[in-house]
Amino acid sequence: MSKKWTVLAVPVISVLLGLLAGAIIMIVSGNNPAAGYMALWNGAFGDSFYTGETLRQMTPYIFAGLAVAFAFRTGLFNIGVEGQLLVGWLASVWVGLAFTDLPKVVHLPMAIAAGALAGALWGFIPGFLKARLRVHEVIVTIMMNYTALHVTNHFIRNVISDGSDATDAVNETASLRSPFLENLTDFSSLHNGIYLAVIAAILMWFMLEKTTLGYELRAVGYNQHASEYAGMNVNRNIILSMVISGAFAGIGGAMQGLGTFGNMFINSGFSGIGFDGIAVALLGGNTAIGVVLAALLFGALKVGSLNMPIESGVPNELVEIVIALIIFFVASSYMITWLLGRFKKKEAK
Amino acid sequence: MDTLTIIALIVSSSLFAATPLIFTALGGVFSEKSGVVNIGLEGLMIIGAFTAIVFNLTFVDTFGDNTKWLALVAAMLAGGLLSLLHGVASIAFRADQVVSGVAINFLALGLSLFLVKLIYDKGQTDMIDSRFIKKDIPLLSDIPVIGDIFFSGIATPTIWAIIIAFASWFVLYKTPFGLRLRSVGEHPMAADTMGVNVGKTRYIAVFISGLLGGLGGAVYAQSISLDFSHATITGQGFMALAAMIFGKWHPLGAMGAAIFFGFAQSLSIVGSSIPFLDSVPAVYLLIAPYVLTILALAGFIGRADAPKASGTPYIKGNR
């Protein structure tokens, strides 16, 4: 089997194994897996409303997935997408609330840029610490997540609102809501962010594959020492990669704040989108097109799962288990490639 | 309130909040000292908390007030089993250990909530009756001043946590097994050459971390949250991870850091009843553990270095 095929086979087999394990769990717990997965499908694509919801869920997943994938290509593991997303969410909503008389062409890009900037700043700190002091980015980004959670909650309660648990809705001039898309999908919460997500994916592909900057970032990811020897500034590239990754995550947060919810509220825990972004990026092989496809799959799983208890009586948490197992199988790709190798040997005999 | 009462209150609630963190952080020390990064501590605590609560609710009629202790054992086994999955992925299948740990966290949360729905047909369990409470230690609490501060209002698991921390230090630094475990984490090839079974040692270390992580979650569930829902364990595992790093991968350091984090946590809760602290916004105390960990890593509070081979699978014959 050629290398190209293995690259495709690992995620596909992982998803199938994950779904298979989900089916086994359903059988063991006394449910009908066919009914369960049928309900999942109906809940994700059953009619235009559900399709709209799936695409809406896919939007922040694309941004979170791109953020993780971008850092990964430079050899960095950004677990901090969750926190970068939260600060981006807060910043975009803040800008969306602060100005009342700006035209939409100015206000909306400004609010999104604020989200990107906040996320970039949150990514800069671990990037800087990694580049300058060789501090491992995984631990720093985890700590930054919790800092972001508490800081954003503090700002919502004490700075942006007067002790309330949620901010007001952002002004119309900063809103991503689209009457056209809502009509098209039977009044789902689908908003214009989906276009931005697709553009961002194309942008990431172009940046990584077609520019000098992208070449340098990938080179640093492959081999830091060789890149250094070739005259690249490794430290600058590490910081830059985390900043761009954080900006993607921050825009993902802006999608939530300006589109899906239209405001921000106190979060008692994480939204999970940042962590799901890790799964999206891994499954998508850290490529732009892979991230878009994986985001569609996870969006469908998440939205479709809500229909499972209604139509088939299967608790929707089943999907969390399936997602966990998919990550697990992708991570253990050595096992899959090894098994594939065994099959091939047998065929040769 | 007079100063002595305030100090006694802070010490007692700090230790109470720190206890689950101490157990879990010690689990992290074992795993990482052997070279296996364990981001899955959070998941291990979740599965421990879930198992303890379900066991407690199911068997409280049979075992009465001893249920909580048996529930700890059940939770340890559950944590140990789940950690073996992480072990298989990161030792045998050479998975990225951070990714596998993330998968463990997802799996634990999904599985436990799925089972709660299946067993109780609702999103969260009932409250448990057999629980760990703060007690005064007989005799020692009668000592003037010291007794009031350190030996009043202490839960039994806290004492165990401190004992196990010292025991872990002894095992890791004073026994042949500990030496092998650490050598596998620092230089697996050298250890292999000397006849140490790298894979087996790492499996044992990861299993111990599962036992302790499950124990931490169970203690948290049976002393602080008292029921199980999606919001029971939200970040305590990562805080334990932070404590492990802040404590420089040393059992006693991890214990000290966990107590300090417990102190920061309890200040954010009891702070409002303490005269000069009530004016400090809670957010500073809430983020203190995390910011301090970052500062510690950055070298402002002495350098913290991970075991050398931490995070890399050992592949025989590779240089």
Side-chain angles (χ1 to χ4, degrees):
Chain A
M1 196 171 284
S2 72
K3 202 161 181 229
K4 207 170 181 181
W5 272 105
T6 323
V7 168
L8 261 178
V10 168
V12 171
I13 292 175
S14 299
V15 170
L16 291 178
L17 283 176
L19 290 173
L20 184 71
I24 293 170
I25 294 172
M26 277 193 270
I27 293 172
V28 171
S29 62
N31 290 292
N32 179 353
Y37 282 136
M38 200 60 212
L40 179 72
W41 174 265
N42 288 339
F45 301 108
D47 62 35
S48 60
F49 173 81
Y50 290 124
T51 312
E53 288 292 311
T54 297
L55 291 176
R56 189 263 303 154
Q57 184 72 34
M58 180 184 165
T59 309
Y61 275 167
I62 292 181
F63 280 105
L66 291 177
V68 177
F70 199 91
F72 234 120
R73 294 293 282 274
T74 318
L76 299 166
F77 195 176
N78 183 4
I79 291 204
V81 172
E82 194 71 54
Q84 292 145 13
L85 190 132
L86 282 175
V87 293
W89 187 347
L90 180 79
S92 68
V93 168
W94 203 347
V95 170
L97 284 166
F99 302 94
T100 44
D101 44 6
L102 287 174
K104 191 158 193 163
V105 282
V106 181
H107 197 185
L108 180 58
M110 211 164 90
I112 295 173
L117 209 65
L121 175 73
W122 225 249
F124 170 79
I125 297 171
F128 179 81
L129 291 176
K130 168 93 178 180
R132 281 296 150 83
L133 301 165
R134 300 284 139 205
V135 183
H136 204 294
E137 76 279 6
V138 167
I139 307 295
V140 178
T141 48
I142 290 173
M143 301 304 138
M144 296 289 289
N145 281 344
Y146 286 95
T147 314
L149 182 68
H150 294 302
V151 168
T152 52
N153 282 349
H154 174 76
F155 269 82
I156 293 166
R157 185 165 284 154
N158 302 315
V159 182
I160 302 181
S161 81
D162 242 343
S164 115
D165 280 353
T167 68
D168 295 330
V170 293
N171 293 315
E172 173 48 36
T173 47
S175 173
L176 278 167
R177 294 188 63 162
S178 150
F180 168 72
L181 289 176
E182 282 171 20
N183 276 324
L184 199 68
T185 58
D186 201 13
F187 300 100
S188 74
S189 53
L190 183 62
H191 54 81
N192 284 324
I194 186 74
Y195 302 126
L196 290 173
V198 174
I199 294 170
I202 297 170
L203 193 72
M204 159 164 154
W205 168 81
F206 186 81
M207 209 160 25
L208 276 179
E209 308 292 337
K210 301 286 166 200
T211 64
T212 322
L213 169 73
Y215 181 80
E216 282 201 14
L217 289 176
R218 283 185 293 134
V220 170
Y222 279 124
N223 191 331
Q224 279 195 12
H225 303 294
S227 312
E228 180 114 50
Y229 190 64
M232 295 173 193
N233 187 337
V234 171
N235 284 348
R236 195 193 63 136
N237 280 318
I238 286 175
I239 296 176
L240 206 58
S241 171
M242 281 304 287
V243 165
I244 296 173
S245 169
F248 273 126
I251 302 176
M255 296 300 110
Q256 301 291 75
L258 307 174
T260 311
F261 298 106
N263 69 348
M264 189 169 184
F265 38 83
I266 301 268
N267 287 292
S268 60
F270 291 121
S271 61
I273 288 175
F275 290 119
D276 288 345
I278 300 168
V280 169
L282 282 173
L283 190 62
N286 299 313
T287 60
I289 177 76
V291 163
V292 173
L293 292 175
L296 177 64
L297 176 78
F298 281 92
L301 284 174
K302 275 278 157 112
V303 171
S305 74
L306 299 176
N307 190 40
M308 289 176 80
I310 303 167
E311 236 178 73
S312 65
V314 179
N316 56 326
E317 281 79 13
L318 179 83
V319 162
E320 307 287 333
I321 303 177
V322 171
I323 289 179
L325 291 172
I326 292 175
I327 309 173
F328 191 76
F329 290 127
V330 175
S332 310
S333 59
Y334 171 76
M335 168 191 69
I336 294 176
T337 41
W338 181 78
L339 283 176
L340 286 175
R342 296 279 294 199
F343 276 126
K344 202 187 150 200
K345 260 186 213 157
K346 271 191 189 151
E347 270 169 32
K349 277 179 194 169
Chain B
M1 269 197 277
D2 62 292
T3 326
L4 188 65
T5 326
I6 292 173
I7 293 174
L9 177 69
I10 292 178
V11 169
S12 145
S13 56
S14 301
L15 287 175
F16 197 62
T19 307
L21 296 180
I22 298 176
F23 285 123
T24 314
L26 289 174
V29 170
F30 272 98
S31 174
E32 299 233 349
K33 275 284 177 197
S34 81
V36 179
V37 170
N38 203 342
I39 302 269
L41 287 177
E42 175 92 359
L44 297 172
M45 279 189 90
I46 293 175
I47 214 74
F50 162 77
T51 313
I53 293 290
V54 172
F55 186 93
N56 197 318
L57 288 170
T58 315
F59 292 109
V60 73
D61 293 333
T62 328
F63 300 119
D65 206 39
N66 292 325
T67 319
K68 58 188 183 221
W69 294 104
L70 295 168
L72 291 185
V73 177
M76 286 174 80
L77 288 177
L81 276 180
L82 188 68
S83 72
L84 281 185
L85 198 62
H86 178 56
V88 170
S90 44
I91 299 164
F93 297 149
R94 304 174 194 175
D96 185 313
Q97 295 167 6
V98 175
V99 176
S100 162
V102 170
I104 292 290
N105 291 340
F106 272 108
L107 187 63
L109 190 63
L111 195 65
S112 53
L113 289 177
F114 180 79
L115 290 172
V116 164
K117 280 249 178 85
L118 218 57
I119 302 171
Y120 300 104
D121 209 20
K122 53 185 177 183
Q124 76 186 86
T125 67
D126 296 326
M127 296 291 239
I128 54 168
D129 289 325
S130 169
R131 58 181 74 158
F132 293 109
I133 45 169
K134 294 180 196 168
K135 286 188 290 204
D136 293 347
I137 299 170
L139 293 180
L140 287 174
S141 64
D142 296 334
I143 306 170
V145 186
I146 294 175
D148 288 329
I149 296 176
F150 292 106
F151 299 110
S152 305
I154 301 291
T156 330
T158 308
I159 301 164
W160 279 106
I162 294 167
I163 293 172
I164 292 179
F166 278 97
S168 304
W169 165 78
F170 184 82
V171 168
L172 280 173
Y173 289 93
K174 300 288 166 196
T175 64
F177 168 73
L179 181 64
R180 286 188 199 119
L181 193 149
R182 285 183 293 128
S183 70
V184 158
E186 291 288 340
H187 203 315
M189 205 183 356
D192 197 14
T193 322
M194 298 306 286
V196 178
N197 188 335
V198 177
K200 194 174 122 195
T201 312
R202 285 188 170 179
Y203 272 117
I204 294 172
V206 171
F207 187 68
I208 294 175
S209 91
L211 295 178
L212 289 170
L215 182 60
V219 168
Y220 185 86
Q222 295 189 103
S223 64
I224 297 173
S225 76
L226 306 178
D227 68 352
F228 184 82
S229 73
H230 71 281
T232 300
I233 304 289
T234 48
Q236 285 84 359
F238 287 114
M239 209 188 266
L241 191 74
M244 177 197 76
I245 297 162
F246 199 47
K248 297 179 184 169
W249 286 269
H250 190 285
L252 300 181
M255 177 183 77
I259 292 174
F260 177 73
F261 289 173
F263 170 67
Q265 258 186 341
S266 69
L267 274 192
S268 66
I269 299 163
V270 300
S272 54
S273 59
I274 295 166
F276 69 94
L277 275 175
D278 52 3
S279 55
V280 178
V283 64
Y284 292 110
L285 299 169
L286 283 170
I287 65 173
Y290 310 112
V291 174
L292 281 170
T293 307
I294 294 175
L295 292 178
L297 280 168
F300 293 113
I301 315 173
R303 208 163 159 74
D305 283 314
K308 272 218 182 59
S310 184
T312 39
Y314 175 61
I315 302 163
K316 252 190 192 174
N318 264 22
R319 281 147 88 50

